[in-house]
Amino acid sequence: MTNIEYLTSYVNHFVETIRQAGVQDIVMCPGSRSTPLAYAFAKSEGFQFYRQIDERSAGYFALGIAKAKKTPVVLLCTSGTAAANFFPAIVEAYYARVPLLVVTADRPHELREVGAPQTIDQVHLYGKHVKWAVDFPLPESEANLAFVERHIQRAVSTSKTAPMGPVHINVPFREPLLLDMEQPLPTMNILVPEIGKLAPSEEFLVWYKDLLQNEVRGIFIVGDSLQTTDGFWKFAKMVQWPVLVDPLSNLRTSIPADCMDLCIDQYDAILKNKSFQEMAVPNVVIRFGAQPVSKPLMLYLKECKPMVFMVVDESPLFRDSLHIATHHVQVDAESLWLKTDTKSSSTYTDCWTQANNIATAHVNSYMEHETDEGALAGLLFEALPDKSYLFASSSMPIRDLDTFFNKTTKDIQLYANRGTNGIDGVVSSAFGVQTALNRPGYLLIGDLAFLHDLNGLIVSRFHHSDMTIIVMNNDGGGIFSYLPQSTETNYFEHLFGTPTGLEFSNIATMYNAQYNAVHSKEDFKEALAEEKTKDIRIIEVFTNRQVNTETHRKLWAAISKELDSVWKV
Amino acid sequence: MTNIEYLTSYVNHFVETIRQAGVQDIVMCPGSRSTPLAYAFAKSEGFQFYRQIDERSAGYFALGIAKAKKTPVVLLCTSGTAAANFFPAIVEAYYARVPLLVVTADRPHELREVGAPQTIDQVHLYGKHVKWAVDFPLPESEANLAFVERHIQRAVSTSKTAPMGPVHINVPFREPLLLDMEQPLPTMNILVPEIGKLAPSEEFLVWYKDLLQNEVRGIFIVGDSLQTTDGFWKFAKMVQWPVLVDPLSNLRTSIPADCMDLCIDQYDAILKNKSFQEMAVPNVVIRFGAQPVSKPLMLYLKECKPMVFMVVDESPLFRDSLHIATHHVQVDAESLWLKTDTKSSSTYTDCWTQANNIATAHVNSYMEHETDEGALAGLLFEALPDKSYLFASSSMPIRDLDTFFNKTTKDIQLYANRGTNGIDGVVSSAFGVQTALNRPGYLLIGDLAFLHDLNGLIVSRFHHSDMTIIVMNNDGGGIFSYLPQSTETNYFEHLFGTPTGLEFSNIATMYNAQYNAVHSKEDFKEALAEEKTKDIRIIEVFTNRQVNTETHRKLWAAISKELDSVWKV
């Protein structure tokens, strides 16, 4: 065989194995060394093929797709710092348990570590932040085809095995990089493994069922990143414990009407109150998914240390930063949503529902009367149409989502990057989710996070999208105003506030986006009511950091006061 | 001592050690976990303190400062993906041998690997792309002060020792993160090492001097990243060999008038000609610094394999991707610029000068008559004022710099990122160099590279700058048109050209920059003549990728033809 035939067979095997392994989406960054794979993917049928010029944004775009689809996405780039730009998204994918197949083209061995251009040490480039990494052989022998097939299959399976995550395939190519474009794809049938699910033992289930049946002071907490939530509400309705739902659990939406009372979405507010805290101490807490966003909830659990704090987590590296877990149940969450005898609601559960209703009333009144970021965020959440989705940036938006997103029977999906809570890559992640879900997308984001990933908008130059971006422009880092360091007034604004004075109407023009500048609540309502006429819409809301902090604090005080009137001893 | 006293002592020791080690510049990204260090640096006298919101851009900004100053710069961020965003700049710094002191704040040990927010595994985060990495202890004992002092001193020395490069200090902090701002800096005197220079042996020098004295077919090649070039021309004038100067050697500018003839800057063009190639085969090549940008030069050397190809490089991992080095002389380059008997010019040297003059005449005529990117770049280079500096992006700008920047006695400094040749972080690097040199800066960049690092402009919101940015907007990846893959016309534009259709007038408005849109050579001349009135000026030149490729090829053919007329046998 000639070199071009070897190369063509090699990359054809590569893409065909990926296709047969069930991967559908390819995110590619242009570059020279990756040419053979780029051509092979482009000419193969059966892939969705996306392009992005900024590799950092591309990484997060792929992450968004994989997060929404819960299945691996290929992320492809050339050699050099291009690959290093993937790193933030890979780290986020690792901790958020999002499956990515990171494919980096590399120089051949004779050009490594000899000062050749655009050559870095890509072997194990991402260190401990991928689940598996492999350095592929050069395409110069038929013997390598079996290697390619087996190792790609292994990479895909590894990324899909719970806990899911990114894997790295480094592929060297020697020039010339051209293929025989006529050579047909290989006829092959790859080994696709049956991946089992972690199931609990019979002994455990006996104990567990007993707990569910007899405990009255039990609560469920459901966090981010479960593989599915199907069947959860049916289960919860039988057990009749209050369910504290993190917004990212996707259990605050599409709630069956007869489970609305069980759903506690205001725990962040009500657990700031001492009287309620004391009354509500649980004996048993069972948590599914990641740790919730809410800091008051975390502080409360840490203080009351429930007798049983069961973390259900498919990873041996289970998540318990509070060091209060008494049981780690390393099984698939679904396997614990069992048929059990239906209980009637307990006084304990009713108290949670009552407190939740009190907080909800205050939050609704707040949204009606206040004009700060939180109130506006609440208006946005109310306005979200059925069968849409919202992506919330880290920092303040995810917290406003936690506080102001009321539980609903509407079908709205909620997303955020909570693997590492970065404000980087948010725009790209949101576009990735939008692409995967094919639903109208809404992104709630602050000015710094939007600025950080403006390049996330570049995908809209290559691919259709349907995205409304609400930028809360408070000119700087809003969240820092809530932290103790805000008291150092000499340095605070300089080091933490970091106002840039930038605004985004020009970005809207640059990207041919629909744009509204919003300076008041009325403006905002009008903007939300306005018809969307372009792929991207940017609603820039000018707010004030100081006011935000103050009115948020006022809300919490009012809720606390009313809770005191009910539960203060 | 109380916790706040421990913490304050710890960070005060930290910054005072850094100050005494001679570090002057701090680039900080806002974040919470890094608060103690941010405050300690901010309140300490004697630092230049810079802020950037995008950590990727911050990394390259710090790299630019360190590259220009050839001394370490602190790069500080909070925990999480912030640190991962530094990775591209760190990789570039590692290969370009730029000293950086990367300081990442981290969560304390009890919050690591337990699912705590914004926590990733930061120990050895940058893998093999830093020279040294250390994980610091928590600030809870006086015993740690000696550790802090000694390890920072060690980190600074490591980054400064040839070959210079980045080091990583990971620093965990436990809440609360507030300092006692009144606590004075410690009185201390750190150990500052005397770092020696690698000097050649006496035996080697005897052989080397003999070579210089007796060889007539010798050439010098000078590449990027020498610590100094002082003394080089005096030496070259004695030896009288032709000197092939890469634009980044900084030997194409500030040339003593009586050395202009020795300086060969058109080797890229003349070595494309077979007749000249055959005539010019050298017996001895001595290269100082990195491998040059020019591909024809590399191909030529690989083909003619000089009897002696001496690479002078301070690193055991010397750079020779051609595998043709016969001698690796691991010494400080300066130590080889010896006093030797002054020779008279040889016929061999004269031939190089003659060919260089031929090529220069064509290039000058090209600049006068053509209107493509190269010709316009040439006009820009001519227009650069004395005591300015130019940063060239990777991809086409660095190649146009190589072809169209004529050697000059003017004092102009030339920079580019050639560690890994990425098109990422270019804007930030240019701003970093500008800040360090405090000279009027010029940046020549393509549309994709500009788009990639638009966030590099954010520093201009916090710090004064003097920058003229010339964006060659050919709507996509221009360099790919020169590669073999451009023949696959079905896929080429989709995979490699990747036109975004974006233009940058809106960015100019957003950043309050002076702006010119240039559609012709006349426009460009006018724009260059226009007075600069703002901190940033953007001159956007709309060009055509196809035309660029064709006219460049015409130039090379014309030069080759005339060289044939002189040397064709």
Side-chain angles (χ1 to χ4, degrees):
Chain A
M1 272 166 71
T2 61
N3 279 343
I4 190 169
E5 283 167 343
Y6 277 130
L7 178 62
T8 308
S9 290
Y10 183 96
V11 294
N12 280 351
H13 262 76
F14 196 106
V15 304
E16 179 61 11
T17 307
I18 284 182
R19 198 187 63 76
Q20 289 192 18
V23 174
Q24 294 166 336
D25 301 278
I26 314 294
V27 177
M28 188 213 67
C29 304
S32 177
R33 192 57 51 168
S34 47
T35 297
L37 283 172
Y39 277 137
F41 276 120
K43 76 185 175 65
S44 177
E45 309 279 315
F47 291 114
Q48 288 289 327
F49 193 85
Y50 302 97
R51 289 168 293 151
Q52 167 56 286
I53 281 156
D54 183 329
E55 294 85 5
R56 178 173 68 178
S57 297
Y60 279 106
F61 180 69
L63 173 107
I65 298 175
K67 184 188 265 288
K69 289 195 168 182
K70 298 179 194 294
T71 186
V73 169
V74 167
L75 181 57
L76 172 67
C77 74
T78 187
S79 68
T81 47
N85 275 278
F86 283 163
F87 197 32
I90 288 171
V91 171
E92 170 63 22
Y94 183 74
Y95 289 103
R97 306 185 179 175
V98 176
L100 287 180
L101 218 60
V102 182
V103 181
T104 55
D106 198 356
R107 306 250 153 173
H109 297 70
E110 70 273 16
L111 292 182
R112 297 180 182 176
E113 299 291 311
V114 290
Q118 216 174 316
T119 311
I120 73 176
D121 187 350
Q122 294 180 190
V123 179
H124 291 282
L125 182 65
Y126 307 113
K128 290 170 271 183
H129 292 98
V130 286
K131 291 184 67 184
W132 190 59
V134 55
D135 187 35
F136 266 33
L138 281 157
E140 54 199 8
S141 152
E142 284 205 325
N144 288 336
L145 299 182
F147 179 98
V148 165
E149 184 185 326
R150 190 50 59 97
H151 281 73
I152 288 175
Q153 174 267 312
R154 184 175 278 220
V156 174
S157 300
T158 302
S159 76
K160 285 166 74 172
T161 298
M164 301 205 288
V167 298
H168 176 209
I169 301 177
N170 191 52
V171 193
F173 292 113
R174 192 177 283 143
E175 290 179 346
L177 302 170
L178 280 175
L179 305 185
D180 172 4
M181 299 291 271
E182 304 305 320
Q183 194 172 313
L185 286 174
T187 313
M188 56 196 283
N189 281 299
I190 71 154
L191 187 68
V192 179
E194 161 71 16
I195 304 179
K197 289 192 168 184
L198 294 167
S201 69
E202 285 306 316
E203 296 92 305
F204 172 79
L205 286 178
V206 170
W207 174 82
Y208 173 69
K209 279 184 184 166
D210 186 62
L211 190 76
L212 296 178
Q213 208 54 48
N214 298 317
E215 179 57 57
V216 290
R217 298 181 71 85
I219 60 178
F220 294 119
I221 297 175
V222 191
D224 190 10
S225 68
L226 291 176
Q227 276 304 297
T228 178
T229 51
D230 294 351
F232 178 78
W233 283 118
K234 204 172 153 193
F235 163 70
K237 208 181 141 195
M238 290 183 282
V239 182
Q240 285 289 323
W241 290 359
V243 185
L244 280 52
V245 290
D246 185 83
L248 303 178
S249 65
N250 272 321
L251 287 173
R252 273 206 201 174
T253 57
S254 306
I255 306 176
D258 59 354
C259 291
M260 284 290 271
D261 275 354
L262 282 182
C263 179
I264 306 299
D265 56 348
Q266 286 295 340
Y267 50 87
D268 185 86
I270 61 187
L271 287 175
K272 286 191 176 86
N273 175 262
K274 206 76 198 158
S275 310
F276 182 78
Q277 278 185 10
E278 281 167 19
M279 180 284 302
V281 174
N283 294 331
V284 175
V285 177
I286 299 179
R287 198 190 82 210
F288 302 101
Q291 295 191 117
V293 168
S294 166
K295 199 163 183 174
L297 173 58
M298 294 291 101
L299 293 175
Y300 177 58
L301 291 171
K302 194 170 175 176
E303 200 186 309
C304 67
K305 280 203 181 57
M307 280 181 332
V308 174
F309 186 91
M310 186 193 298
V311 176
V312 182
D313 194 316
E314 61 218 356
S315 166
L317 304 171
F318 66 97
R319 293 161 290 197
D320 174 32
S321 66
L322 309 172
H323 301 275
I324 58 165
T326 58
H327 297 67
H328 171 218
V329 185
Q330 194 181 335
V331 303
D332 188 57
E334 250 185 310
S335 69
L336 298 184
W337 302 339
L338 304 167
K339 195 170 154 40
T340 173
D341 291 340
T342 302
K343 294 200 288 190
S344 55
S345 163
S346 68
T347 323
Y348 180 71
T349 302
D350 292 342
C351 284
W352 276 93
T353 306
Q354 186 186 349
N356 201 70
N357 289 343
I358 288 170
T360 302
H362 279 278
V363 164
N364 288 341
S365 149
Y366 183 94
M367 291 197 266
E368 200 175 320
H369 299 105
E370 296 293 344
T371 57
D372 75 329
E373 275 184 20
L376 298 183
L379 286 184
L380 166 68
F381 303 147
E382 297 261 294
L384 291 176
D386 198 39
K387 300 204 184 308
S388 65
Y389 102 92
L390 175 93
F391 200 101
S393 173
S394 293
S395 196
M396 283 316 294
I398 181 70
R399 290 179 172 82
D400 282 337
L401 188 71
D402 203 12
T403 306
F404 297 103
F405 192 98
N406 284 331
K407 57 187 177 184
T408 175
T409 54
K410 277 199 282 189
D411 173 12
I412 298 166
Q413 296 194 29
L414 304 177
Y415 288 88
N417 284 340
R418 298 302 288 177
T420 64
N421 305 2
I423 62 157
D424 49 333
V426 175
V427 177
S428 298
S429 304
F431 272 89
V433 173
Q434 199 278 318
T435 298
L437 297 179
N438 199 21
R439 290 180 166 210
Y442 292 80
L443 166 62
L444 179 64
I445 191 166
D447 54 308
L448 291 190
F450 189 47
L451 187 59
H452 209 292
D453 191 28
L454 277 182
N455 278 353
L457 299 174
I458 296 173
V459 283
S460 72
R461 306 302 291 180
F462 302 127
H463 309 287
H464 169 66
S465 49
D466 180 357
M467 182 66 79
T468 301
I469 302 171
I470 296 91
V471 187
M472 292 292 181
N473 192 342
N474 54 32
D475 197 10
I479 199 165
F480 297 120
S481 305
Y482 293 81
L483 299 178
Q485 48 264 47
S486 64
T487 53
E488 282 297 342
T489 45
N490 277 351
Y491 297 99
F492 177 74
E493 198 61 10
H494 185 66
L495 296 182
F496 297 100
T498 57
T500 65
L502 293 172
E503 53 103 357
F504 299 102
S505 59
N506 294 294
I507 293 298
T509 312
M510 182 172 171
Y511 281 95
N512 188 31
Q514 194 175 345
Y515 177 81
N516 303 75
V518 165
H519 294 275
S520 71
K521 197 169 174 177
E522 288 318 302
D523 284 2
F524 190 56
K525 283 182 181 167
E526 275 175 37
L528 286 177
E530 197 179 303
E531 194 193 351
K532 182 164 180 287
T533 55
K534 296 189 170 178
D535 272 19
I536 301 181
R537 187 170 174 201
I538 299 173
I539 302 177
E540 183 169 16
V541 186
F542 295 92
T543 68
N544 177 300
R545 273 184 268 149
Q546 202 50 44
V547 170
N548 292 336
T549 321
E550 284 162 15
T551 49
H552 273 70
R553 286 188 176 135
K554 240 168 51 188
L555 167 66
W556 298 326
I559 293 173
S560 199
K561 197 173 158 197
E562 190 171 343
L563 294 176
D564 267 346
S565 75
V566 183
W567 282 288
K568 193 157 190 177
V569 186
Chain B
M1 271 166 71
T2 61
N3 279 344
I4 191 169
E5 284 168 343
Y6 277 129
L7 177 62
T8 308
S9 288
Y10 183 95
V11 295
N12 280 352
H13 263 76
F14 196 106
V15 304
E16 180 60 11
T17 307
I18 284 182
R19 198 189 61 77
Q20 288 193 20
V23 174
Q24 296 166 336
D25 301 277
I26 315 294
V27 177
M28 188 212 66
C29 304
S32 177
R33 192 58 50 169
S34 47
T35 297
L37 283 172
Y39 277 138
F41 277 120
K43 75 186 177 65
S44 177
E45 308 279 313
F47 291 114
Q48 289 289 325
F49 193 84
Y50 302 98
R51 290 168 293 150
Q52 167 55 288
I53 282 157
D54 183 329
E55 294 84 5
R56 179 173 67 179
S57 297
Y60 278 106
F61 180 70
L63 173 108
I65 297 175
K67 185 189 265 286
K69 288 195 168 181
K70 297 179 196 295
T71 187
V73 170
V74 167
L75 182 57
L76 172 66
C77 73
T78 187
S79 67
T81 46
N85 275 277
F86 283 164
F87 198 32
I90 288 171
V91 171
E92 171 63 22
Y94 183 75
Y95 288 103
R97 304 185 181 177
V98 177
L100 288 181
L101 219 58
V102 182
V103 181
T104 55
D106 199 356
R107 306 252 153 171
H109 297 71
E110 69 274 17
L111 293 182
R112 296 180 182 176
E113 298 291 311
V114 290
Q118 216 175 316
T119 312
I120 73 175
D121 187 350
Q122 293 180 191
V123 179
H124 291 282
L125 183 65
Y126 307 114
K128 291 171 268 182
H129 293 99
V130 286
K131 290 184 68 184
W132 191 58
V134 55
D135 187 36
F136 267 33
L138 280 157
E140 54 199 11
S141 153
E142 283 205 325
N144 288 336
L145 299 181
F147 179 98
V148 165
E149 184 186 325
R150 190 52 57 96
H151 280 72
I152 288 175
Q153 173 268 309
R154 184 176 280 221
V156 175
S157 299
T158 303
S159 77
K160 284 166 73 172
T161 298
M164 300 204 289
V167 296
H168 176 209
I169 301 177
N170 191 53
V171 193
F173 291 113
R174 192 178 282 141
E175 291 180 346
L177 302 170
L178 280 175
L179 304 185
D180 172 4
M181 300 292 272
E182 305 305 318
Q183 194 172 314
L185 286 174
T187 313
M188 56 195 282
N189 281 299
I190 73 154
L191 187 68
V192 178
E194 161 71 16
I195 304 179
K197 290 194 166 182
L198 294 167
S201 68
E202 285 306 315
E203 295 90 307
F204 172 79
L205 286 179
V206 170
W207 174 82
Y208 173 68
K209 279 185 185 168
D210 185 63
L211 190 75
L212 296 178
Q213 209 53 49
N214 298 317
E215 180 56 58
V216 289
R217 299 180 70 85
I219 60 179
F220 294 119
I221 297 175
V222 191
D224 190 10
S225 67
L226 290 176
Q227 274 305 296
T228 176
T229 49
D230 294 351
F232 177 79
W233 282 119
K234 204 173 152 190
F235 163 70
K237 207 181 139 195
M238 289 184 282
V239 182
Q240 286 289 324
W241 290 359
V243 184
L244 280 51
V245 291
D246 184 83
L248 303 177
S249 66
N250 272 321
L251 287 173
R252 273 205 200 174
T253 57
S254 304
I255 306 174
D258 58 355
C259 291
M260 284 289 271
D261 276 354
L262 282 182
C263 178
I264 306 299
D265 56 349
Q266 285 296 339
Y267 49 87
D268 185 85
I270 60 187
L271 287 175
K272 286 191 175 86
N273 175 262
K274 206 76 198 158
S275 310
F276 182 77
Q277 278 186 7
E278 280 167 19
M279 182 285 302
V281 174
N283 293 331
V284 175
V285 177
I286 300 179
R287 198 190 82 211
F288 301 102
Q291 295 191 117
V293 168
S294 166
K295 199 162 183 175
L297 173 58
M298 294 292 101
L299 293 175
Y300 178 59
L301 291 171
K302 192 169 177 178
E303 199 185 310
C304 69
K305 282 201 179 56
M307 279 181 331
V308 173
F309 185 92
M310 185 192 299
V311 177
V312 182
D313 194 318
E314 61 216 357
S315 166
L317 303 173
F318 66 96
R319 293 160 291 197
D320 173 30
S321 66
L322 309 172
H323 301 274
I324 58 167
T326 57
H327 297 67
H328 171 217
V329 185
Q330 193 181 336
V331 302
D332 188 59
E334 249 184 310
S335 69
L336 298 184
W337 303 339
L338 305 165
K339 195 168 152 43
T340 172
D341 291 340
T342 302
K343 294 201 287 191
S344 55
S345 161
S346 68
T347 323
Y348 180 71
T349 302
D350 292 342
C351 284
W352 276 93
T353 307
Q354 187 186 349
N356 202 68
N357 289 341
I358 288 169
T360 302
H362 279 277
V363 164
N364 289 341
S365 149
Y366 183 94
M367 292 196 266
E368 199 175 322
H369 298 105
E370 296 292 344
T371 58
D372 75 329
E373 275 185 20
L376 298 184
L379 286 184
L380 166 68
F381 304 146
E382 297 261 295
L384 291 175
D386 199 38
K387 300 204 184 310
S388 65
Y389 101 92
L390 176 92
F391 201 101
S393 172
S394 293
S395 196
M396 284 315 294
I398 182 69
R399 291 179 172 83
D400 282 337
L401 188 73
D402 203 12
T403 306
F404 296 103
F405 191 97
N406 284 331
K407 57 188 175 184
T408 174
T409 54
K410 277 199 283 189
D411 173 11
I412 299 166
Q413 296 193 29
L414 305 176
Y415 287 88
N417 284 341
R418 298 303 287 179
T420 64
N421 304 1
I423 63 158
D424 50 332
V426 174
V427 176
S428 298
S429 304
F431 272 88
V433 173
Q434 199 278 317
T435 298
L437 296 178
N438 199 19
R439 290 179 166 211
Y442 292 80
L443 166 61
L444 179 62
I445 192 166
D447 54 308
L448 291 191
F450 189 47
L451 187 59
H452 208 292
D453 191 27
L454 277 182
N455 278 353
L457 299 174
I458 296 172
V459 284
S460 72
R461 306 302 291 180
F462 302 126
H463 309 288
H464 168 67
S465 50
D466 180 357
M467 181 66 78
T468 302
I469 302 171
I470 297 89
V471 187
M472 292 293 180
N473 192 341
N474 54 32
D475 197 11
I479 199 167
F480 296 120
S481 306
Y482 292 81
L483 299 178
Q485 48 263 49
S486 65
T487 53
E488 282 297 342
T489 43
N490 277 352
Y491 298 98
F492 177 74
E493 198 62 9
H494 185 68
L495 297 182
F496 298 100
T498 57
T500 65
L502 293 172
E503 55 103 357
F504 300 102
S505 59
N506 293 295
I507 293 297
T509 312
M510 181 172 173
Y511 281 95
N512 188 30
Q514 192 175 345
Y515 177 80
N516 303 75
V518 165
H519 294 275
S520 71
K521 197 169 174 176
E522 288 318 303
D523 284 1
F524 190 57
K525 283 183 180 167
E526 275 174 37
L528 286 177
E530 197 179 303
E531 195 192 351
K532 182 163 179 290
T533 56
K534 297 189 171 179
D535 273 20
I536 301 180
R537 187 171 174 199
I538 298 173
I539 302 177
E540 183 169 16
V541 186
F542 294 92
T543 67
N544 177 300
R545 274 185 267 147
Q546 203 49 45
V547 169
N548 292 337
T549 322
E550 284 162 16
T551 49
H552 273 71
R553 286 188 177 136
K554 238 167 56 188
L555 167 67
W556 297 326
I559 292 172
S560 199
K561 195 173 159 198
E562 189 171 343
L563 293 176
D564 267 346
S565 77
V566 182
W567 282 289
K568 192 155 189 178
V569 186

